[in-house]
Amino acid sequence: MRDLISEMAGHIVVNGVKIARNGAALLDVPHLALNGPGPTLILGPNGAGKSLLLRCLHGLIVPDKGFVKQDGVPLNTDQTARQAMVFQQPVLLRRSVSANLDFVLKRRGLHRSARKVRIAELLAEGGLEGKARQSARSLSGGEAQRLAILRALALDPDTLFLDEPTSALDPSATQMIEGMVLRASGRGVRIVMVTHDIGQARRLAADIVMMHGGHVVEHGDARQVLDAPKSEASRRYLAGGLVT
Ligand SMILES: Nc1ncnc2c1ncn2[C@@H]1O[C@H](COP(=O)(O)OP(=O)(O)OP(=O)(O)O)[C@@H](O)[C@H]1O
Ligand SMILES: [Mg+2]
């Protein structure tokens, strides 16, 4: 039974979700089921509704209509507490790198000795072993983003949402973060990640959600969506053309 529950963890279903502001429909997703084992990548042009959808899935925005369910029940605070989110601009405490991780672990109730072990593991996972005592605010963009992901992982989440975590990073920093994401996925963490980097989608995604104008225009196996997109909006986005 335990195995069955852990296998199911992180299955997300969106049903009839609508968000409007000032009379404009920003998000309109009749149905979306994220239940595959591998990373889900969300793609689409600026303003397509990717970040809004991610915020809905994490319970940061309650839709005007419809609902999000995880593992068969409407999203609740117990579930969102087991999710973690990494924003495009990392939010870090004005403390040392290790203190940023310690803060999360302490809130989870880990004792001092267990926290020390876990911090060492996390620093190694993010390649930040030599930075433990450095002020988090003085990290480079790539290092700060790695620390933000480590903080998210320190929550031991069943689901990890990432909103364009590598958009401002060079290829080697991007590669390090992609490694962290793939390893988390390999450990069973459900990954839902927004990107504009089609190469990244090709490297990471099991399935791809294509968005345009607040709608999910396509959702399917990554290879199929990237190599043989079914919707015109997907075709044009992937071809690098303007989608109007
Ligand atoms: N609180 C809000 N009030 C009004 N409009 C909003 C609000 N939040 C988002 N929007 C609008 O909703 C649309 C979708 O925004 P969203 O941030 O989800 O886009 P996105 O796909 O993440 O784009 P990008 O690639 O630029 O990050 C945009 O037109 C945005 O201006
Ligand atoms: Mg966005």
Side-chain angles (χ1 to χ4, degrees), residues 198 202 208 218 221-230 235 238:
I198 294 164
R202 201 175 277 284
I208 289 180
E218 191 160 349
D221 172 76
R223 291 283 163 271
Q224 176 262 302
V225 174
L226 292 172
D227 296 335
K230 289 181 181 150
R235 274 195 289 277
L238 293 169

Side-chain angles (χ1 to χ4, degrees), residues 45-209:
N46 294 139
K50 305 178 297 296
S51 296
L52 269 182
L53 177 63
L54 219 55
R55 283 165 191 269
C56 276
L57 299 180
H58 190 32
L60 293 175
I61 300 177
V62 178
D64 302 329
K65 286 188 183 156
F67 55 84
V68 175
K69 278 188 175 180
Q70 185 170 331
D71 303 328
V73 296
L75 201 59
N76 57 51
T77 50
D78 285 343
Q79 290 174 325
T80 55
R82 291 197 302 274
Q83 302 175 334
M85 182 145 170
V86 176
F87 297 89
Q88 187 175 348
Q89 302 294 337
V91 186
L92 300 171
L93 300 174
R94 200 181 293 273
R95 300 182 192 178
S96 72
V97 167
S98 60
N100 266 268
L101 299 173
D102 196 53
F103 178 80
V104 175
L105 297 170
K106 204 170 182 176
R107 275 193 19 190
R108 287 185 52 213
L110 270 74
H111 289 294
R112 195 184 168 85
S113 55
R115 296 205 303 272
K116 219 175 144 190
V117 171
R118 189 71 185 116
I119 287 170
E121 285 172 359
L122 287 164
L123 291 173
E125 167 61 20
L128 292 176
E129 300 97 322
K131 303 277 177 186
R133 299 160 80 96
Q134 189 173 325
S135 154
R137 296 282 175 99
S138 68
L139 293 173
S140 75
E143 291 164 351
Q145 196 54 281
R146 264 142 61 204
L147 179 56
I149 295 173
L150 294 180
R151 272 175 46 127
L153 292 175
L155 288 165
D156 204 9
D158 59 26
T159 306
L160 177 58
F161 299 110
L162 302 112
D163 197 350
E164 300 192 42
T166 63
S167 62
L169 306 186
D170 72 21
S172 102
T174 298
Q175 195 180 19
M176 289 186 81
I177 284 179
E178 290 182 3
M180 293 170 78
V181 168
L182 283 176
R183 286 192 294 277
S185 176
R187 289 192 300 272
V189 180
R190 180 98 191 75
I191 304 287
V192 183
M193 174 165 159
V194 175
T195 188
H196 282 290
D197 181 341
I198 294 164
Q200 179 166 73
R202 201 175 277 284
R203 290 189 292 276
L204 299 185
D207 59 316
I208 289 180
V209 176

Side-chain angles (χ1 to χ4, degrees), residues 8-71:
M8 283 171 53
H11 286 199
I12 297 168
V13 174
V14 174
N15 240 308
V17 160
K18 288 189 185 195
I19 296 179
R21 293 286 181 275
N22 312 318
L26 303 181
L27 198 63
D28 185 353
V29 180
H31 180 78
L32 178 67
L34 305 180
N35 50 21
T40 297
L41 274 276
I42 304 177
L43 276 74
N46 294 139
K50 305 178 297 296
S51 296
L52 269 182
L53 177 63
L54 219 55
R55 283 165 191 269
C56 276
L57 299 180
H58 190 32
L60 293 175
I61 300 177
V62 178
D64 302 329
K65 286 188 183 156
F67 55 84
V68 175
K69 278 188 175 180
Q70 185 170 331
D71 303 328

